[in-house]
Amino acid sequence: MRTLTRRQQRPRNVHAAIAVIERRDRYLIAQRLPGDIRGGYWEFPGGTREAGESWSTCLRRELHEELGVSIATLTPFGTTRLHDARGVLHLEVYRCTIAGRPRPLAAQALRWVRSDQLDAYRFPPANRRIIARLKRYEHTHALPASPRTRSSD
């Protein structure tokens, strides 16, 4: 019988809370550590929900552990499911604002980027779905351009 490594024994169903953190029209992304699965990829902060933990409690814990910040506002932004060879990844996504200055406590680096810059970064497939949803949201909720005022000559 073949012995599986810890990575190969991943749970078949993973439930995680993800934060789309916005500040001044930019979004916070974190670069995964080199030894992690998909090391070097960028992602929206968040993490795996523990047994008996609510989604909001999970996200508050994860942002404190990963970034050293607390959540100021929290709004549901949908769910994403991804099926792959390892099983099912179920993400509960929230838009939020934070209190405090984020630090990369569990990441290589952090960056604040505009939504039109996100495609320049390498994201895992589930995060790509979040980016697509974010862009659709921004497109449908864009403020109308203000009318031009005529100058009196």
Side-chain angles (χ1 to χ4, degrees):
M1 186 170 140
R2 188 176 128 200
T3 304
L4 298 177
T5 66
R6 185 168 169 83
R7 268 196 187 157
Q8 293 168 321
Q9 295 174 353
R10 288 201 164 290
R12 294 215 25 88
N13 290 301
V14 176
H15 297 265
I18 304 299
V20 176
I21 302 169
E22 184 176 4
R23 184 179 284 169
R24 292 188 290 274
D25 297 324
R26 293 178 186 268
Y27 298 96
L28 184 65
I29 59 174
Q31 189 176 31
R32 291 183 180 191
L33 294 169
D36 291 351
I37 292 175
R38 298 185 194 255
Y41 278 58
W42 291 85
E43 64 183 356
F44 292 104
T48 305
R49 184 172 69 158
E50 295 177 357
E53 192 173 45
S54 72
W55 290 109
S56 63
T57 300
C58 169
L59 199 54
R60 290 176 195 286
R61 176 184 52 77
E62 288 288 343
L63 295 188
H64 178 72
E65 290 173 2
E66 292 183 3
L67 306 173
V69 298
S70 59
I71 294 176
T73 63
L74 184 65
T75 306
F77 193 57
T79 62
T80 296
R81 283 184 200 261
L82 183 68
H83 301 263
D84 67 14
R86 293 180 304 230
V88 180
L89 176 61
H90 174 90
L91 303 179
E92 287 289 328
V93 185
Y94 293 86
R95 288 179 63 108
C96 63
T97 58
I98 55 174
R101 185 182 176 126
R103 300 179 316 270
L105 303 177
Q108 283 189 69
L110 302 175
R111 293 219 176 118
W112 290 98
V113 299
R114 295 187 321 265
S115 63
D116 64 344
Q117 297 172 316
L118 290 169
D119 290 332
Y121 294 86
R122 192 170 166 191
F123 284 90
N127 276 243
R128 285 269 167 220
R129 291 181 179 184
I130 297 168
I131 292 168
R133 179 179 292 141
L134 182 62
K135 288 181 177 185
R136 283 192 308 273
Y137 177 86
E138 286 184 339
H139 180 72
T140 59
H141 291 82
L143 296 174
S146 59
R148 291 184 182 202
T149 56
R150 274 190 134 160
S151 63
S152 54
D153 293 322

Coordinates of all heavy atoms in Angstrom, one line a residue, residues 89-151:
L89 N -13.8 22.8 -3.1 CA -13.4 24.0 -2.3 C -14.6 24.9 -2.3 O -15.1 25.3 -3.4 CB -12.2 24.7 -3.0 CG -11.8 26.0 -2.4 CD1 -11.3 25.8 -0.9 CD2 -10.6 26.6 -3.2
H90 N -15.1 25.2 -1.1 CA -16.3 26.0 -1.0 C -15.9 27.3 -0.3 O -15.3 27.3 0.8 CB -17.3 25.3 -0.1 CG -18.5 26.2 0.3 ND1 -19.6 26.3 -0.5 CD2 -18.7 27.0 1.3 CE1 -20.5 27.1 0.0 NE2 -20.0 27.6 1.1
L91 N -16.0 28.4 -1.0 CA -15.6 29.7 -0.5 C -16.8 30.6 -0.2 O -17.6 30.8 -1.1 CB -14.7 30.5 -1.4 CG -13.4 29.7 -1.9 CD1 -12.6 30.6 -2.9 CD2 -12.5 29.4 -0.7
E92 N -16.9 31.2 1.0 CA -17.8 32.2 1.3 C -17.0 33.6 1.3 O -16.0 33.7 2.0 CB -18.4 32.1 2.7 CG -19.3 30.9 2.9 CD -20.7 31.2 2.2 OE1 -21.1 32.3 2.1 OE2 -21.3 30.2 1.7
V93 N -17.5 34.4 0.4 CA -16.7 35.7 0.1 C -17.4 36.9 0.7 O -18.7 37.0 0.6 CB -16.5 35.8 -1.4 CG1 -15.7 37.0 -1.8 CG2 -16.0 34.6 -2.1
Y94 N -16.6 37.7 1.3 CA -17.2 39.0 1.9 C -16.4 40.2 1.4 O -15.2 40.1 1.3 CB -17.0 38.9 3.4 CG -17.9 37.8 4.1 CD1 -17.5 36.5 4.1 CD2 -19.2 38.1 4.5 CE1 -18.3 35.5 4.7 CE2 -20.0 37.2 5.1 CZ -19.6 35.9 5.1 OH -20.4 34.9 5.7
R95 N -17.1 41.2 1.2 CA -16.4 42.5 1.0 C -16.3 43.1 2.4 O -17.2 43.0 3.2 CB -17.3 43.5 0.1 CG -17.3 43.0 -1.3 CD -18.2 44.0 -2.1 NE -17.6 45.3 -2.1 CZ -17.1 45.9 -3.1 NH1 -17.0 45.3 -4.3 NH2 -16.6 47.1 -3.1
C96 N -15.1 43.7 2.7 CA -15.0 44.3 4.0 C -14.0 45.5 4.0 O -13.2 45.6 3.1 CB -14.6 43.3 5.0 SG -13.0 42.4 4.8
T97 N -14.1 46.2 5.1 CA -13.1 47.2 5.4 C -12.4 46.8 6.7 O -13.0 46.0 7.5 CB -13.7 48.6 5.5 OG1 -14.6 48.6 6.5 CG2 -14.3 49.1 4.2
I98 N -11.2 47.3 6.9 CA -10.5 46.8 8.1 C -10.0 48.0 8.9 O -9.9 49.1 8.4 CB -9.2 46.0 7.7 CG1 -8.3 46.7 6.7 CG2 -9.6 44.6 7.1 CD1 -7.0 46.1 6.4
A99 N -9.7 47.7 10.2 CA -9.1 48.7 11.1 C -7.7 48.2 11.4 O -7.5 47.1 11.7 CB -10.0 48.8 12.4
G100 N -6.8 49.1 11.2 CA -5.4 48.8 11.4 C -4.6 48.7 10.1 O -5.2 48.6 9.0
R101 N -3.3 48.7 10.3 CA -2.4 48.6 9.1 C -2.0 47.1 8.9 O -1.4 46.5 9.8 CB -1.2 49.4 9.3 CG -0.3 49.5 8.1 CD 0.9 50.3 8.4 NE 1.8 50.2 7.3 CZ 2.3 51.3 6.7 NH1 2.0 52.5 7.1 NH2 3.1 51.1 5.7
P102 N -2.4 46.5 7.7 CA -2.1 45.1 7.5 C -0.6 44.8 7.4 O 0.1 45.6 6.8 CB -2.8 44.7 6.2 CG -3.0 46.0 5.5 CD -3.1 47.1 6.6
R103 N -0.2 43.7 8.0 CA 1.2 43.2 7.9 C 1.2 41.8 7.3 O 0.3 41.0 7.7 CB 1.8 43.3 9.3 CG 1.9 44.6 9.9 CD 2.5 44.6 11.3 NE 2.1 43.5 12.2 CZ 1.0 43.6 13.0 NH1 0.3 44.7 13.1 NH2 0.7 42.6 13.8
P104 N 2.2 41.4 6.6 CA 2.2 40.1 6.0 C 2.7 39.0 7.0 O 3.8 38.5 7.0 CB 3.2 40.2 4.9 CG 4.1 41.3 5.3 CD 3.3 42.2 6.1
L105 N 1.8 38.7 8.0 CA 2.2 37.7 9.1 C 2.2 36.3 8.6 O 2.9 35.4 9.2 CB 1.2 37.9 10.2 CG 1.1 39.3 10.8 CD1 0.1 39.3 11.9 CD2 2.5 39.7 11.4
A106 N 1.5 36.0 7.5 CA 1.4 34.6 6.9 C 1.5 34.7 5.4 O 0.9 33.8 4.7 CB 0.1 33.9 7.4
A107 N 2.2 35.6 4.9 CA 2.4 35.8 3.4 C 3.8 36.4 3.2 O 4.4 36.9 4.0 CB 1.3 36.7 2.9
Q108 N 4.2 36.2 1.9 CA 5.5 36.8 1.5 C 5.4 38.3 1.4 O 6.3 39.1 1.7 CB 5.8 36.3 0.1 CG 6.4 35.0 0.0 CD 6.9 34.7 -1.4 OE1 7.9 35.3 -1.8 NE2 6.2 33.9 -2.2
A109 N 4.2 38.8 0.8 CA 4.0 40.2 0.6 C 2.6 40.5 0.5 O 1.7 39.7 0.3 CB 4.7 40.6 -0.8
L110 N 2.3 41.8 0.7 CA 0.9 42.4 0.5 C 1.0 43.5 -0.5 O 2.0 44.2 -0.5 CB 0.4 42.9 1.8 CG 0.3 41.9 3.0 CD1 -0.1 42.7 4.3 CD2 -0.7 40.8 2.7
R111 N -0.1 43.7 -1.2 CA -0.2 44.8 -2.2 C -1.6 45.3 -2.2 O -2.6 44.5 -2.2 CB 0.2 44.4 -3.6 CG 1.7 44.0 -3.7 CD 2.3 44.5 -5.0 NE 3.7 44.1 -5.0 CZ 4.3 43.3 -5.8 NH1 3.6 42.8 -6.8 NH2 5.6 43.1 -5.7
W112 N -1.7 46.6 -2.4 CA -3.0 47.2 -2.6 C -3.1 47.5 -4.1 O -2.2 48.3 -4.6 CB -3.2 48.6 -1.9 CG -3.3 48.4 -0.4 CD1 -2.3 48.5 0.6 CD2 -4.5 48.1 0.3 NE1 -2.8 48.2 1.8 CE2 -4.2 48.0 1.7 CE3 -5.8 47.9 -0.1 CZ2 -5.1 47.7 2.7 CZ3 -6.8 47.6 0.9 CH2 -6.4 47.5 2.3
V113 N -4.0 47.0 -4.8 CA -4.1 47.1 -6.3 C -5.5 47.5 -6.7 O -6.5 47.1 -6.1 CB -3.6 45.9 -7.0 CG1 -2.2 45.5 -6.7 CG2 -4.5 44.7 -6.7
R114 N -5.6 48.2 -7.8 CA -6.9 48.5 -8.5 C -7.4 47.3 -9.1 O -6.7 46.4 -9.5 CB -6.7 49.7 -9.5 CG -6.3 51.0 -8.9 CD -6.4 52.1 -9.9 NE -5.9 51.7 -11.2 CZ -4.6 51.9 -11.7 NH1 -3.7 52.4 -10.9 NH2 -4.3 51.4 -12.9
S115 N -8.7 47.2 -9.3 CA -9.3 46.0 -10.0 C -8.8 45.8 -11.4 O -8.6 44.7 -11.8 CB -10.8 46.1 -10.0 OG -11.3 47.2 -10.7
D116 N -8.4 46.9 -12.1 CA -7.9 46.7 -13.5 C -6.5 46.2 -13.5 O -5.9 45.9 -14.5 CB -8.0 48.0 -14.3 CG -7.2 49.2 -13.7 OD1 -6.8 49.1 -12.5 OD2 -7.0 50.2 -14.4
Q117 N -5.8 46.1 -12.3 CA -4.5 45.6 -12.2 C -4.4 44.1 -11.8 O -3.4 43.5 -11.9 CB -3.7 46.4 -11.2 CG -3.5 47.9 -11.6 CD -2.9 48.7 -10.4 OE1 -3.2 48.5 -9.3 NE2 -1.9 49.5 -10.8
L118 N -5.6 43.6 -11.3 CA -5.6 42.2 -10.8 C -5.2 41.2 -11.8 O -4.5 40.2 -11.4 CB -7.0 41.9 -10.2 CG -7.3 42.7 -8.9 CD1 -8.8 42.5 -8.6 CD2 -6.5 42.2 -7.7
D119 N -5.5 41.4 -13.0 CA -5.2 40.4 -14.0 C -3.7 40.2 -14.3 O -3.2 39.2 -14.8 CB -5.8 40.7 -15.4 CG -7.3 40.5 -15.3 OD1 -7.8 39.6 -14.5 OD2 -8.1 41.2 -16.1
A120 N -2.9 41.2 -13.8 CA -1.4 41.1 -13.9 C -0.8 40.1 -12.9 O 0.4 39.8 -13.0 CB -0.8 42.5 -13.8
Y121 N -1.6 39.7 -11.9 CA -1.1 38.8 -10.9 C -1.5 37.4 -11.1 O -2.6 37.2 -11.6 CB -1.5 39.3 -9.5 CG -0.9 40.7 -9.1 CD1 -1.5 41.8 -9.6 CD2 0.3 40.7 -8.4 CE1 -1.0 43.1 -9.3 CE2 0.8 42.0 -8.1 CZ 0.2 43.1 -8.5 OH 0.8 44.3 -8.2
R122 N -0.7 36.4 -10.6 CA -1.1 35.0 -10.8 C -1.9 34.6 -9.6 O -1.4 34.6 -8.4 CB 0.2 34.2 -10.8 CG 0.1 32.8 -11.2 CD 1.5 32.3 -11.5 NE 1.4 30.8 -11.5 CZ 2.5 30.1 -11.5 NH1 3.7 30.6 -11.5 NH2 2.3 28.8 -11.6
F123 N -3.2 34.3 -9.8 CA -4.1 33.8 -8.8 C -4.6 32.4 -9.0 O -4.7 32.0 -10.2 CB -5.4 34.7 -8.8 CG -5.3 36.1 -8.3 CD1 -4.9 37.1 -9.1 CD2 -5.6 36.3 -6.9 CE1 -4.7 38.4 -8.6 CE2 -5.4 37.6 -6.4 CZ -5.0 38.6 -7.2
P124 N -4.9 31.7 -7.9 CA -5.5 30.4 -8.1 C -6.9 30.5 -8.8 O -7.5 31.6 -8.7 CB -5.7 29.8 -6.7 CG -4.9 30.8 -5.8 CD -4.7 32.0 -6.5
P125 N -7.4 29.4 -9.4 CA -8.7 29.5 -10.1 C -9.9 30.0 -9.3 O -10.7 30.8 -9.8 CB -8.9 28.0 -10.5 CG -7.6 27.4 -10.6 CD -6.8 28.1 -9.5
A126 N -10.0 29.6 -8.0 CA -11.1 30.1 -7.2 C -11.1 31.6 -7.0 O -12.1 32.3 -7.0 CB -11.2 29.4 -5.9
N127 N -9.9 32.2 -6.9 CA -9.7 33.6 -6.7 C -10.0 34.3 -8.0 O -10.5 35.4 -8.1 CB -8.3 34.0 -6.2 CG -8.2 33.9 -4.7 OD1 -7.9 34.9 -4.1 ND2 -8.4 32.7 -4.2
R128 N -9.7 33.7 -9.2 CA -10.0 34.3 -10.5 C -11.5 34.5 -10.6 O -12.0 35.5 -11.2 CB -9.5 33.4 -11.6 CG -8.1 33.4 -11.8 CD -7.7 34.5 -12.8 NE -6.3 34.8 -12.8 CZ -5.8 36.0 -12.9 NH1 -6.6 37.0 -13.0 NH2 -4.5 36.1 -12.8
R129 N -12.3 33.5 -10.0 CA -13.8 33.7 -10.1 C -14.2 34.9 -9.2 O -15.1 35.6 -9.6 CB -14.4 32.4 -9.5 CG -14.3 31.2 -10.5 CD -15.0 30.0 -9.9 NE -14.8 28.9 -10.8 CZ -15.4 27.7 -10.6 NH1 -16.1 27.5 -9.6 NH2 -15.2 26.8 -11.5
I130 N -13.5 35.1 -8.1 CA -13.9 36.2 -7.3 C -13.5 37.5 -8.0 O -14.3 38.5 -8.0 CB -13.1 36.2 -5.9 CG1 -13.6 34.9 -5.1 CG2 -13.3 37.4 -5.1 CD1 -12.7 34.6 -3.9
I131 N -12.4 37.6 -8.7 CA -12.0 38.7 -9.5 C -13.1 39.0 -10.6 O -13.5 40.2 -10.7 CB -10.6 38.6 -10.1 CG1 -9.6 38.5 -9.0 CG2 -10.3 39.7 -11.2 CD1 -8.2 38.1 -9.5
A132 N -13.5 38.0 -11.2 CA -14.6 38.2 -12.3 C -15.8 38.8 -11.6 O -16.5 39.7 -12.2 CB -14.9 36.9 -13.0
R133 N -16.2 38.3 -10.5 CA -17.4 38.8 -9.8 C -17.2 40.2 -9.4 O -18.1 41.1 -9.5 CB -17.8 37.9 -8.6 CG -19.0 38.4 -7.8 CD -19.3 37.5 -6.6 NE -19.8 36.3 -7.1 CZ -19.5 35.1 -6.6 NH1 -18.7 35.1 -5.5 NH2 -20.0 34.0 -7.0
L134 N -16.0 40.5 -8.9 CA -15.7 41.9 -8.4 C -15.8 42.9 -9.6 O -16.4 43.9 -9.5 CB -14.3 41.9 -7.8 CG -13.8 43.2 -7.3 CD1 -14.7 43.7 -6.1 CD2 -12.4 43.1 -6.8
K135 N -15.3 42.5 -10.8 CA -15.3 43.4 -11.9 C -16.8 43.6 -12.4 O -17.2 44.7 -12.8 CB -14.4 42.8 -13.0 CG -13.0 43.0 -12.7 CD -12.1 42.5 -13.8 CE -10.6 42.7 -13.5 NZ -9.8 42.3 -14.6
R136 N -17.6 42.5 -12.4 CA -19.0 42.6 -12.8 C -19.7 43.5 -11.8 O -20.5 44.4 -12.2 CB -19.7 41.2 -12.8 CG -19.4 40.4 -14.0 CD -20.3 39.2 -14.1 NE -20.4 38.4 -12.9 CZ -19.5 37.4 -12.6 NH1 -18.5 37.1 -13.5 NH2 -19.7 36.7 -11.5
Y137 N -19.4 43.4 -10.5 CA -20.0 44.2 -9.5 C -19.7 45.7 -9.8 O -20.5 46.6 -9.7 CB -19.6 43.8 -8.1 CG -20.1 44.7 -7.0 CD1 -21.4 44.4 -6.5 CD2 -19.4 45.7 -6.5 CE1 -21.9 45.2 -5.5 CE2 -19.9 46.6 -5.5 CZ -21.2 46.3 -5.0 OH -21.6 47.1 -4.0
E138 N -18.4 46.0 -10.0 CA -18.0 47.4 -10.2 C -18.6 47.9 -11.4 O -19.0 49.1 -11.5 CB -16.4 47.4 -10.3 CG -15.7 47.3 -9.0 CD -14.2 47.4 -9.1 OE1 -13.7 47.3 -10.2 OE2 -13.6 47.7 -8.1
H139 N -18.7 47.1 -12.5 CA -19.3 47.6 -13.7 C -20.8 48.0 -13.5 O -21.3 49.0 -14.1 CB -19.2 46.5 -14.8 CG -19.8 46.9 -16.1 ND1 -19.2 47.9 -16.9 CD2 -20.9 46.5 -16.8 CE1 -19.9 48.0 -18.0 NE2 -21.0 47.2 -17.9
T140 N -21.5 47.1 -12.8 CA -23.0 47.4 -12.6 C -23.3 48.4 -11.6 O -24.3 49.0 -11.5 CB -23.7 46.1 -12.3 OG1 -23.2 45.5 -11.1 CG2 -23.6 45.1 -13.4
H141 N -22.3 48.7 -10.7 CA -22.5 49.7 -9.6 C -21.7 50.9 -9.8 O -21.5 51.7 -8.9 CB -22.2 49.0 -8.3 CG -23.2 48.0 -7.9 ND1 -23.1 46.7 -8.3 CD2 -24.2 48.1 -7.1 CE1 -24.1 46.0 -7.8 NE2 -24.8 46.8 -7.1
A142 N -21.2 51.1 -11.0 CA -20.4 52.3 -11.3 C -21.2 53.6 -11.2 O -22.4 53.6 -11.6 CB -19.7 52.2 -12.7
L143 N -20.6 54.6 -10.7 CA -21.4 55.9 -10.6 C -21.4 56.5 -12.0 O -20.4 56.5 -12.7 CB -20.6 56.8 -9.6 CG -20.6 56.4 -8.1 CD1 -19.8 57.3 -7.3 CD2 -22.0 56.3 -7.6
P144 N -22.5 57.2 -12.3 CA -22.6 57.8 -13.6 C -21.6 59.0 -13.6 O -21.3 59.6 -12.6 CB -24.0 58.3 -13.7 CG -24.5 58.3 -12.3 CD -23.7 57.3 -11.5
A145 N -21.1 59.2 -14.8 CA -20.1 60.4 -14.9 C -20.9 61.7 -14.6 O -22.0 61.8 -15.0 CB -19.6 60.4 -16.4
S146 N -20.2 62.6 -14.0 CA -20.8 63.8 -13.7 C -20.9 64.7 -14.9 O -20.0 64.6 -15.8 CB -20.0 64.6 -12.6 OG -18.7 64.8 -13.0
P147 N -22.0 65.4 -15.1 CA -22.1 66.2 -16.3 C -21.1 67.3 -16.3 O -20.7 67.8 -15.3 CB -23.5 66.8 -16.1 CG -23.9 66.7 -14.7 CD -23.1 65.6 -14.2
R148 N -20.6 67.6 -17.5 CA -19.6 68.7 -17.6 C -20.3 70.0 -17.5 O -21.4 70.2 -18.0 CB -19.0 68.6 -19.0 CG -18.1 67.4 -19.1 CD -17.4 67.4 -20.5 NE -16.7 66.2 -20.6 CZ -15.6 66.0 -21.4 NH1 -15.3 67.0 -22.1 NH2 -15.0 64.9 -21.4
T149 N -19.6 70.9 -16.8 CA -20.1 72.2 -16.7 C -19.5 73.1 -17.7 O -18.3 73.0 -18.0 CB -19.8 72.8 -15.3 OG1 -18.4 72.7 -15.0 CG2 -20.6 72.0 -14.2
R150 N -20.3 74.0 -18.2 CA -19.8 74.9 -19.2 C -19.2 76.1 -18.5 O -19.7 76.6 -17.6 CB -20.9 75.4 -20.1 CG -21.2 74.5 -21.2 CD -22.2 75.3 -22.1 NE -21.8 75.2 -23.4 CZ -22.5 75.4 -24.4 NH1 -23.8 75.8 -24.2 NH2 -22.1 75.2 -25.6
S151 N -18.1 76.5 -19.0 CA -17.5 77.7 -18.4 C -18.1 78.9 -19.1 O -18.4 78.9 -20.3 CB -16.0 77.7 -18.6 OG -15.6 77.7 -19.9

